[in-house]
Amino acid sequence: MAGTGINNNVSSKKRSGSEDQWDREDFIAAKKAMKPMIWEDPAAALSNTRHEFGEHGGVNMSIEASATFTVMEPETMRRMFSGELGPDRDFFIYSRHFNPTVLNLGRLMASLEGTEAAYCTASGMSAISSVLLQLCSSGGHVVASRSLYGGTHALLTHFLPRACNITTSFVDIRDHEMVREAITEGKTKVLYLESISNPTLTVANVPELCRIAHDKGVVVVVDNTFAPMVMSPARLGADVVVHSISKYISGGADIIAGAVCGPASLVNAMMDLHQGALMLLGPTMNPKVAFELSERLPHLGLRMKEHCNRALVYATRMKKLGLKVIYPGLEDHPDHAVLKSSANKDYGYGGILCVDMETEEKANRLMNLLQNFTQFGFMAVSLGYYETLMSCSGSSTSSEMNTEEKALAGISPGLVRMSIGYNGTLEQKWSQLEKALSRLNDSGLFQKM
């Protein structure tokens, strides 16, 4: 009953040392000639993916925990290392290269995002850094949104220029003319952005940004960590989608993992024995982790709908109470129309909302009450957990940015990011939030409008 094959889009075909890292120009030319992609519900796409059964007929797949794989004949090993035989024909060398269990998770991620292929990594940052190092060589240039996760911003601002001579121009991703002018044809290799930005919740107009980039021969990489199921960047024109699977896809705040979803040619290039960033840098996912995550993907859609539903309800009610709420599901959010036009149907507007308390003192007071007085949520970084997680972004997940960079990104000192959970009932949790706001009002730090 075991499923046959692994992923026909993934192979280990060897590339010559003189070849470019990836056939960027051919890929973009082919993409321009493609017909518009037909929309497919990501939950339906996941359901349509081949189910991998266990070795002895179990309804769950078996875990291939081996680091290395044996062959029946000596000649087979030479053929595997030459690229003649690979995972597309069920031949495996070593789990840093390809592993059957990790490949199965990659197949699911590719279905989720609507890409040809995907491969999963040990963390979200390893997925991001590996993609950028595969697409850019020394002297390369990236154009990136100025509203990014602090770790990504630090990678682009400090590490890549110092270690790799790769520079980045940061832009207001809403200003399409600014994006266009920042791209230097022949030098700029990547336009990098987040579908919904961390933490400011700016929503990127992915179709229009892809048109701008592709007209200049630039690859578009989108971090979709904040919006799995909600948005499908590849279906909107993006070339590569990256994820921190640690967040919503895991859902349990117990796993660190990432994913690269994109064309099979890129994934294969990243696993190349001579030039592949994933193969040579080695951010390998443990197959036991891959198995755990593959069991959580089927109910991701249900979880996302509840995260998003509660975020919209709370954001609406908090706004009525006079709080300065940032949430793209609210009609007064500057990107509400963009998200409404590009979001997948019936999944909502995201499970993150922000409250701008103006000062760090007020932000800390609010979070302290919410955790220690009413038990509404936990003061913790990350997102996608079943409990609500809260952090003051400027002094935590965006602390890698200096004051000027945070101001340009729209991150105020008192910005509280809330990843809305679904534990307990909606009304139970709302009463806890209201109780904290009432106490804050009594202290004089918050006055209802």
Side-chain angles (χ1 to χ4, degrees):
M1 292 177 68
T4 58
I6 297 295
N7 186 339
N8 290 332
N9 290 324
V10 174
S11 73
S12 57
K13 182 180 177 182
K14 184 175 285 187
R15 302 162 66 84
S16 71
S18 61
E19 265 187 278
D20 192 11
Q21 290 174 305
W22 181 45
D23 240 336
R24 176 195 324 274
E25 290 79 12
D26 287 352
F27 173 76
I28 291 178
K31 189 144 191 174
K32 285 181 180 178
M34 285 172 60
K35 294 179 180 178
M37 188 175 289
I38 298 173
W39 180 85
E40 183 178 16
D41 188 307
L46 277 172
S47 179
N48 289 334
T49 307
R50 187 187 76 234
H51 187 88
E52 195 77 25
F53 293 99
E55 183 180 359
H56 302 290
V59 294
N60 294 319
M61 68 175 177
S62 301
I63 302 173
E64 182 49 81
S66 298
T68 190
F69 300 83
T70 189
V71 295
M72 297 303 293
E73 299 172 353
E75 180 66 13
T76 302
M77 192 169 290
R78 182 195 63 77
R79 294 174 68 193
M80 288 195 295
F81 273 89
S82 70
E84 184 182 344
L85 299 175
D88 53 328
R89 296 173 61 183
D90 282 351
F91 287 93
F92 296 90
I93 299 172
Y94 188 65
S95 279
R96 176 164 54 85
H97 187 232
F98 284 111
N99 174 279
T101 312
V102 180
L103 268 177
N104 183 67
L105 177 62
R107 187 169 62 246
L108 293 171
M109 288 299 302
S111 295
L112 172 69
E113 287 297 348
T115 58
E116 273 189 311
Y119 205 66
C120 299
T121 64
S123 70
M125 282 306 301
S126 68
I128 294 166
S129 57
S130 295
V131 164
L132 292 174
L133 289 170
Q134 192 70 36
L135 296 176
C136 301
S137 301
S138 177
H141 178 245
V142 176
V143 173
S145 169
R146 60 171 60 136
S147 299
L148 295 174
Y149 164 58
T152 308
H153 195 279
L155 174 73
L156 293 168
T157 304
H158 305 296
F159 183 85
L160 290 181
R162 175 183 62 79
C164 309
N165 191 30
I166 296 169
T167 57
T168 298
S169 298
F170 291 97
V171 296
D172 178 351
I173 209 67
R174 288 176 174 141
D175 187 340
H176 295 167
E177 190 57 37
M178 185 181 187
V179 173
R180 186 179 286 107
E181 291 177 358
I183 295 173
T184 303
E185 283 193 70
K187 183 177 181 182
T188 303
K189 305 300 181 185
V190 172
L191 173 61
Y192 186 92
L193 56 127
E194 294 171 349
S195 54
I196 300 179
S197 71
N198 182 4
T200 57
L201 306 183
T202 300
V203 182
N205 188 333
V206 176
E208 181 59 27
L209 290 164
C210 289
R211 280 190 285 272
I212 293 169
H214 292 160
D215 283 347
K216 295 197 172 190
V218 171
V219 174
V220 180
V221 179
V222 179
D223 183 339
N224 200 33
T225 297
F226 267 38
M229 294 282 183
V230 175
M231 290 182 72
S232 297
R235 294 182 174 97
L236 298 171
D239 305 305
V240 184
V241 179
V242 292
H243 273 278
S244 171
I245 301 182
S246 319
K247 312 303 192 292
Y248 284 114
I249 293 171
S250 165
D254 57 344
I255 285 174
I256 301 293
V260 177
C261 310
S265 57
L266 175 62
V267 174
N268 288 328
M270 294 182 75
M271 296 302 289
D272 182 70
L273 294 173
H274 290 184
Q275 298 188 55
L278 287 175
M279 178 61 189
L280 299 177
L281 296 176
T284 308
M285 176 179 280
N286 187 318
K288 296 172 185 176
V289 168
F291 173 83
E292 285 269 350
L293 291 167
S294 69
E295 298 296 292
R296 301 180 191 191
L297 270 171
H299 48 74
L300 174 63
L302 297 174
R303 291 187 280 117
M304 287 306 300
K305 286 180 179 181
E306 189 60 18
H307 282 299
C308 296
N309 174 57
R310 293 196 184 196
L312 177 59
V313 170
Y314 295 159
T316 303
R317 292 180 181 181
M318 292 164 77
K319 182 176 176 60
K320 287 180 179 177
L321 289 176
L323 286 159
K324 186 178 179 182
V325 183
I326 302 165
Y327 181 65
L330 297 176
E331 291 187 2
D332 64 351
H333 188 283
D335 303 319
H336 176 73
V338 171
L339 182 54
K340 192 171 184 178
S341 67
S342 56
N344 292 318
K345 302 177 184 70
D346 302 324
Y347 288 98
Y349 299 97
I352 308 287
L353 64 83
C354 291
V355 182
D356 191 350
M357 299 300 292
E358 298 181 345
T359 68
E360 187 175 350
E361 178 194 3
K362 290 180 181 179
N364 290 340
R365 175 70 172 152
L366 173 62
M367 291 189 296
N368 183 59
L369 288 169
L370 288 170
Q371 174 177 287
N372 299 319
F373 178 61
T374 69
Q375 291 77 54
F376 172 75
F378 301 148
M379 287 183 280
V381 298
S382 198
L383 52 125
Y385 191 44
Y386 56 81
E387 295 280 5
T388 294
L389 302 179
M390 309 168 290
S391 59
C392 184
S393 297
S395 56
S396 58
T397 54
S398 297
S399 60
E400 296 92 338
M401 303 166 74
N402 63 37
T403 303
E404 182 182 356
E405 289 166 341
K406 281 185 272 196
L408 284 171
I411 304 170
S412 84
L415 190 71
V416 177
R417 187 188 75 184
M418 292 185 182
S419 169
I420 302 301
Y422 52 78
N423 199 25
T425 69
L426 187 154
E427 295 302 335
Q428 171 196 18
K429 289 296 177 181
W430 172 250
S431 68
Q432 293 171 342
L433 178 54
E434 255 193 327
K435 186 178 178 182
L437 292 175
S438 178
R439 173 67 70 93
L440 196 64
N441 185 58
D442 292 342
S443 71
L445 288 177
F446 165 62
Q447 296 294 328
K448 293 183 182 181
M449 292 177 65

